[in-house]
Structure formats: structure tokens, C-alpha cells
Amino acid sequence: MSERVYGFGIIGAGIIAPTHCKAIRALPNARLAACCDLERPKAEKLAAEFEIPQVCTDYRELIRRDDVDVVEVVTWSGVHAEQGIAAAEAGKHVIVTKPMDTRLERIDALIEACRANGVKLGATHQFRSYPSYRRLKNAIDEGRLGRLWMGNGLLKWWRGQDYYDSAAWRGTWALDGGGALMNQAIHYVDMLTWLMGPPRSLTGYTATQNHAIEVEDCATAAIQFENGALGAFQAATCTYKGLPARIEVHGERGNVVLEGDQIVLWDVEGEALETGEAGVGSLAGPGGSLGAGVQAHAEQIADVLAAIEEDREPALNGAEARRAVEIILAIYESARTGERWDFR
């Protein structure tokens, strides 16, 4: 690896921005150069907390800066591609938080803009970097579970009406792109298909049970995967008190269950019956060890920087991140039409 240090510009100073800032500061070849938010006090607060030298309210000003090499887009879901394309056209590498965008045509335009301008496009689905999920992924890839029969994902959380009322974009089709599926559950849609493989078809149902919002707060889908396995996915933000997210994988030689991102059941033929492996890594940054979420973000940002150095695609590139959005949009369309959605 070269000794180059990459300057990062952060577009968006909302809830997830501090996690990205902590992750960037943990990397020896990255530094925070600038941040931007439409509400200047929010950007100034982020800048003060993380010693970011430059603040602005127009993302176009940020991407024009010579000291910004990589742009992190952590704004409203429905403007991710627009801002990422502008960054790519300015010659900046791009990292986009989930979802890449809420429309496939915009994601495809972002992927093409990065390709055409010779810059890298990365995404953050941080749970892929948790040791617990990586352990299961390795076991599947090595064939230790045998043929997969079934894979299920359940995200049954609670969000009060005050959560949706806290920002005008939340719970809207235009800027949130959906509800429990697109905003909260997308990481676990990504996780389930990362483990089980791509889907062949699905049938979806959605409802708004408990909130005054445009979008769904409850959804379910029955899935057939390309490998012949069956599955189900459920997402909600109206579950009483909320429950831990859960992933279940069943194969001819084993059952593995993760709950709250920890292994609660590891029953694989020829292996000890184990539970309890958490998703906590060991990367240390300023101030000591990082939490699991920051650690995972840092690993994925580090891979994008390595991809720049090695002139390769990031492990979690635009095409990989696109798949979860495609599946969620398929669930919405199936729920709207009442018909099965077949992937082609």
C-alpha cells in the first residue's frame, strides 16, 4: 500500500454520520477534510466533534474541494445517486450508505457515472464484516452445511410516531423510498441473500398498521432462491417493544441461528454445538477499541481505499449493493399487484 492519505468529505450530518467519522479516523490512510449539511449548525456540530476543518451547506462546494478525494454520501435515501453522480463527475471516489438509492435506474446511473469517470464506488452493508456473519458465510461457502434448504430473516423492531415526525423525509416514498423494508431491514435483506444466494422469485405483502406515514411499517415475503432453497423475510417497525433481528439458515448438515447479530445456535454436523459469538472486532482507533458497528464500517471503507490502490472493484461495490434494493422493490411491486415477482 502507498503512503498516500485520502481526504474524505461527508455529505450529511445526520444520525449515521458520526459512525462514519469514527471509522474514517480509525484508518491510518484516511483523514476528515470537510463535511456538509443543509442545516449548517448540524454540520458545525459534527465538525467540532471530529475536528473537521471545513464546513459547508452545499454539497457541490464540498465535491469541488481539492483536499477531498473520497466522498461519503450519508443523506436522504432518495438523493444518494444524484449526489454520488455529481461526486463521480468531479473525479471523486464515492461511498454510499444504505440504500444506494431508492430507484434501480438511478443506481445504474451512479454505477455508470463512476465507471465512466474512472473512480471507485463502494457501499456500506456493515453486517457483512461482523465476525459472526462471516463465520456463517465461510461455513456455507465451504459446504459444511451441505445443500441449503431454508433461510429466513426477521427484523421486528419498534419505532414510535415521534421517530417519523423527527424529519420530514422519514416515512415518505420520495425521500425514504419505503418504510420498514427500505430503511430498517435493508441490511438484513442484503445479509440473507449474501448467505443464501440470489432469489428466483418472491411473493410479498405490505401494510401500514400503526403509524401515520405513507409507507409500510409491516411487510412479509415468501422467497424461492436460485439454489432451490425456500425462505421468508419479515420486517416491521410496529412490533410491541421490539425484538432482536434474527437470521436462520438450515441445510442438510446443520442449523445456524443468529439473533441480535450473535450466534445463538451453531449445530453443524461434526462441529461442537456452540453459541454466543458476537460481532465485535479488534480494530482500535483514537480513544481505544471500536464498537462492532464502527469496526465494520472501518473495514469496508478500508477495502474501498485498498481497491483504489490496487485498481480493482471494492468487495461491496455498486452491483452488490444494488441487489438488496432490487429485492425490496420487488416485494413492493408484488404487494401492489398481488402477483408473484420473477427475477430475470
Side-chain angles (χ1 to χ4, degrees), residues 21-28 30 50-51 283-291 294:
C21 290
K22 291 174 185 177
I24 291 163
R25 290 212 307 178
L27 301 175
F50 293 100
E51 301 177 328
L283 182 67
S289 297
L290 300 178
V294 176

Side-chain angles (χ1 to χ4, degrees), residues 30-41:
R31 64 179 177 82
L32 290 162
C35 67
C36 173
D37 197 278
L38 288 172
E39 299 178 39
R40 189 175 182 89

Side-chain angles (χ1 to χ4, degrees), residues 130-148:
Y130 277 41
S132 51
Y133 291 113
R134 283 201 303 245
R135 181 181 174 192
L136 175 53
K137 174 66 170 172
N138 290 339
I140 291 170
D141 289 348
E142 292 166 4
R144 286 152 49 199
L145 272 67
R147 182 180 170 190
L148 299 181

Side-chain angles (χ1 to χ4, degrees), residues 77-78 80-81 96-108 110-111 123-125 128 173 176-179 181-194 199 202 216 233 316-334 341 343:
S77 302
H80 286 176
V96 183
T97 191
K98 61 81 181 170
M100 291 289 286
D101 201 278
T102 61
R103 301 280 293 276
L104 294 181
E105 59 268 29
R106 295 200 293 248
I107 295 174
D108 292 339
L110 172 58
I111 293 170
T124 50
H125 278 294
R128 291 193 185 198
W173 286 113
D176 213 355
L181 281 169
M182 187 67 82
N183 192 305
Q184 281 77 29
I186 188 168
H187 283 307
Y188 292 91
V189 172
D190 174 75
M191 183 57 54
L192 186 63
T193 57
W194 185 56
L202 62 78
E216 87 289 351
F233 193 90
L316 184 50
N317 59 22
E320 274 290 298
R322 181 188 191 275
R323 184 169 61 190
V325 177
E326 181 183 18
I327 292 166
I328 289 170
L329 293 178
I331 296 172
Y332 290 155
E333 185 64 12
S334 175
W341 178 273
F343 293 87

Side-chain angles (χ1 to χ4, degrees), residues 54-279:
Q54 300 295 329
V55 173
C56 60
T57 56
D58 186 343
Y59 74 87
R60 297 171 187 84
E61 178 183 340
L62 181 145
I63 65 178
R64 288 196 298 265
R65 296 189 60 86
D66 292 337
D67 55 354
V68 171
D69 305 298
V70 182
V71 171
E72 287 242 17
V73 179
V74 292
T75 51
W76 309 323
S77 302
V79 298
H80 286 176
E82 172 190 334
Q83 294 171 346
I85 290 169
E89 290 176 345
K92 312 299 184 181
H93 304 286
V94 183
I95 301 175
V96 183
T97 191
K98 61 81 181 170
M100 291 289 286
D101 201 278
T102 61
R103 301 280 293 276
L104 294 181
E105 59 268 29
R106 295 200 293 248
I107 295 174
D108 292 339
L110 172 58
I111 293 170
E112 174 57 24
C114 290
R115 186 205 63 77
N117 289 280
V119 298
K120 303 303 179 186
L121 173 60
T124 50
H125 278 294
Q126 66 269 21
F127 296 118
R128 291 193 185 198
S129 294
Y130 277 41
S132 51
Y133 291 113
R134 283 201 303 245
R135 181 181 174 192
L136 175 53
K137 174 66 170 172
N138 290 339
I140 291 170
D141 289 348
E142 292 166 4
R144 286 152 49 199
L145 272 67
R147 182 180 170 190
L148 299 181
W149 302 139
M150 185 171 289
N152 302 320
L154 299 95
L155 185 125
K156 299 181 179 180
W157 286 355
W158 165 257
R159 292 289 186 272
Q161 184 64 39
D162 58 339
Y163 166 82
Y164 292 103
D165 294 342
S166 67
W169 65 274
R170 295 191 186 279
T172 67
W173 286 113
L175 293 176
D176 213 355
L181 281 169
M182 187 67 82
N183 192 305
Q184 281 77 29
I186 188 168
H187 283 307
Y188 292 91
V189 172
D190 174 75
M191 183 57 54
L192 186 63
T193 57
W194 185 56
L195 295 168
M196 298 295 298
R200 178 183 301 164
S201 64
L202 62 78
T203 302
Y205 303 89
T206 63
T208 307
Q209 305 279 31
N210 191 58
H211 298 97
I213 54 177
E214 297 177 3
V215 296
E216 87 289 351
D217 61 10
C218 188
T220 188
I223 305 169
Q224 182 180 35
F225 296 96
E226 284 189 357
N227 60 14
L230 300 180
F233 193 90
Q234 292 186 321
T237 54
C238 58
T239 308
Y240 177 65
K241 293 185 178 179
L243 297 171
R246 187 177 176 94
I247 292 285
E248 305 170 346
V249 176
H250 306 282
E252 61 182 334
R253 293 198 295 274
N255 304 303
V256 178
V257 177
L258 290 95
E259 188 171 272
D261 309 318
Q262 296 189 353
I263 296 170
V264 297
L265 175 66
W266 186 280
D267 188 7
V268 178
E269 182 180 299
E271 302 182 19
L273 186 65
E274 298 178 15
T275 61
E277 181 174 345

